[in-house]
Amino acid sequence: MRPRVVCAVAAAVALFATACGSSGGGGGGQGAQDVAKAGPTGAFPVKVSDCAGKETTIAKAPAKIVTSNAAGLEMLLQLGAGDRLIGTGFPPGKGTLPADLAEQGAKVPVLGDRTIPKEKLLGSGADLYVDTFGAMPMMGGGATGPTEEEFTAAGIQHVFLLSTACAGTPKAAKAPRTDLAQVEDDIRRLGAVTGTAARAEELVTGMERRAGEVRTALAGVPDGQRPSYFVFDFDAGTKQPVAVCGRQVANAVITLAGARNVFADCDADFKPGSWEDVVAKNPDWIQLSVRNRGSEEATRKAFDDAEAFLKSFPATQGLKAVQEGHFVRLGSEVTTIAGVRNADAVRQIAATVHPDLVKSGQ
């Protein structure tokens, strides 16, 4: 099989197109401070901040919401605010959303197959825009998206998923992401903003319980005995692999699952890598990370193709994980997109790399 030629920018776009759920550093950080300003459960006004700390006051629950992509869309559906969604960019692919949300998610109008055009966003009639990208210029933030003055003139309040939008900014914490605290803060923040705070707490409590069960099960495993782990994003291209770095939410998922991300030390969320880098790391386990293809058969074939590439490509066929068949088949949607299902990904990875300690589906 010949490696596909995909440039670094195209690889990054492929990742961002499915919401690039990145994290901005360890602990609760700015998100924790932000959530604290939400006031009593269900109460308004609510104050939320952007990546630079600038505050926005939400006076009442929004009635018409637009999201930049599938990450915010799924969170709002999980929160029970789906009936207020009037548009999205980067729509989730068929099979991407959980089955119980798929029908409602499919009814949300698509305002842009990628970034929502500026004029369409400003003319959408929305009173709230949930922005996953923020300061990422190539994804519609920064210079190419509406200014705050334009949002205000259009009557649209602008809030961010800080765990994602802030990851590439100079203010982002430098420490690798090792927990799901900022993702949980994003859920709480959206709950406060939409008046669904009680539901947000239910979702966060469930995430904490599921991840906590795995943490307890693996408490006796020393750091030195935790296997090394590489996320192979097959859909981002095979000529130049993309490193999932320490700021990415996947680093937290991997860490909580009792493994060690081989690229945890790169100071970014995603970064173009090389097969020489992967060979030098020689991971114990490789995640075959593919997008859901819309059917079980098609998705299974994508996993098969990713595995076949690693087994046939000269640079990777001698890797320890490849030789031993140590592959984790887990979709990128639950690994690199910030959301409720990150906690499920923790258990699935842990059950694969530590089968004697963690059982899947418990």
Side-chain angles (χ1 to χ4, degrees), residues 64 93 95 104 194 208 225 232 243 311 329 333 349-350 362:
K64 297 180 179 180
Q104 188 176 23
T194 59
E208 292 175 339
Q225 293 182 20
F232 171 40
K311 288 180 175 179
R329 293 189 169 207
E333 291 90 354
I349 293 172
Q362 289 185 344

Side-chain angles (χ1 to χ4, degrees), residues 3-18 20 114 138 230-244 269-275 287-293 302 305-306 309 331-333 336:
R4 293 173 289 161
V5 179
V6 180
C7 70
V9 172
V13 170
L15 290 163
F16 289 137
T18 56
C20 71
R114 292 182 178 274
M138 70 179 229
F230 167 57
V231 178
F232 171 40
D233 196 304
F234 183 60
D235 294 317
T238 56
K239 182 177 182 180
Q240 182 180 37
V242 173
V244 172
D269 47 5
F270 296 104
K271 188 175 181 179
S274 71
W275 287 116
Q287 178 175 327
L288 306 176
S289 186
V290 304
R291 313 293 186 268
N292 192 301
R293 298 302 199 259
D305 290 345
F309 168 78
S332 53
E333 291 90 354
T336 59

Side-chain angles (χ1 to χ4, degrees), residues 52 95 108 130 160 301:
V108 178
V130 178
F160 298 86
K301 182 181 184 304

Side-chain angles (χ1 to χ4, degrees), residues 206-219:
M207 290 177 67
E208 292 175 339
R209 175 183 56 77
R210 297 193 297 279
E213 289 171 351
V214 174
R215 184 186 299 110
T216 299
L218 301 178

Side-chain angles (χ1 to χ4, degrees), residues 284-342:
D284 297 311
W285 287 87
I286 296 177
Q287 178 175 327
L288 306 176
S289 186
V290 304
R291 313 293 186 268
N292 192 301
R293 298 302 199 259
S295 73
E296 184 176 341
E297 181 181 359
T299 302
R300 183 171 57 250
K301 182 181 184 304
F303 281 125
D304 290 344
D305 290 345
E307 182 174 331
F309 168 78
L310 293 173
K311 288 180 175 179
S312 62
F313 187 44
T316 57
Q317 59 188 195
L319 291 174
K320 179 180 179 181
V322 175
Q323 290 289 306
E324 296 179 356
H326 280 182
F327 299 114
V328 177
R329 293 189 169 207
L330 182 59
S332 53
E333 291 90 354
V334 297
T335 313
T336 59
I337 295 179
V340 174
R341 291 184 290 167
N342 293 150

Side-chain angles (χ1 to χ4, degrees), residues 48 56 58 128-132 157-161 190 193:
V48 292
T56 295
I58 310 296
L128 182 73
Y129 178 56
V130 178
D131 192 347
T132 308
Q157 294 199 287
H158 186 195
V159 301
F160 298 86
L161 296 186
L190 283 187
V193 166

Side-chain angles (χ1 to χ4, degrees), residues 177-300:
R177 167 63 55 195
T178 58
D179 60 45
L180 298 177
Q182 282 198 359
V183 178
E184 293 164 355
D185 285 349
D186 273 337
I187 294 168
R188 288 190 175 103
R189 183 180 302 104
L190 283 187
V193 166
T194 59
T196 58
R199 173 58 177 163
E201 284 303 321
E202 290 179 10
L203 294 173
V204 170
T205 298
M207 290 177 67
E208 292 175 339
R209 175 183 56 77
R210 297 193 297 279
E213 289 171 351
V214 174
R215 184 186 299 110
T216 299
L218 301 178
V221 182
D223 288 345
Q225 293 182 20
R226 298 188 175 216
S228 57
Y229 193 96
F230 167 57
V231 178
F232 171 40
D233 196 304
F234 183 60
D235 294 317
T238 56
K239 182 177 182 180
Q240 182 180 37
V242 173
V244 172
C245 300
R247 293 192 205 172
Q248 225 286 322
V249 68
N251 191 76
V253 171
I254 294 164
T255 302
L256 291 169
R260 294 177 291 113
N261 177 16
V262 295
F263 290 112
D265 58 349
C266 64
D267 184 23
D269 47 5
F270 296 104
K271 188 175 181 179
S274 71
W275 287 116
E276 289 78 7
D277 295 334
V278 177
V279 171
K281 301 290 187 181
N282 197 18
D284 297 311
W285 287 87
I286 296 177
Q287 178 175 327
L288 306 176
S289 186
V290 304
R291 313 293 186 268
N292 192 301
R293 298 302 199 259
S295 73
E296 184 176 341
E297 181 181 359
T299 302
R300 183 171 57 250

Side-chain angles (χ1 to χ4, degrees), residues 53-69:
K54 179 183 177 182
E55 290 188 344
T56 295
T57 299
I58 310 296
K60 61 181 181 180
K64 297 180 179 180
I65 306 172
V66 171
T67 63
S68 63
N69 72 340

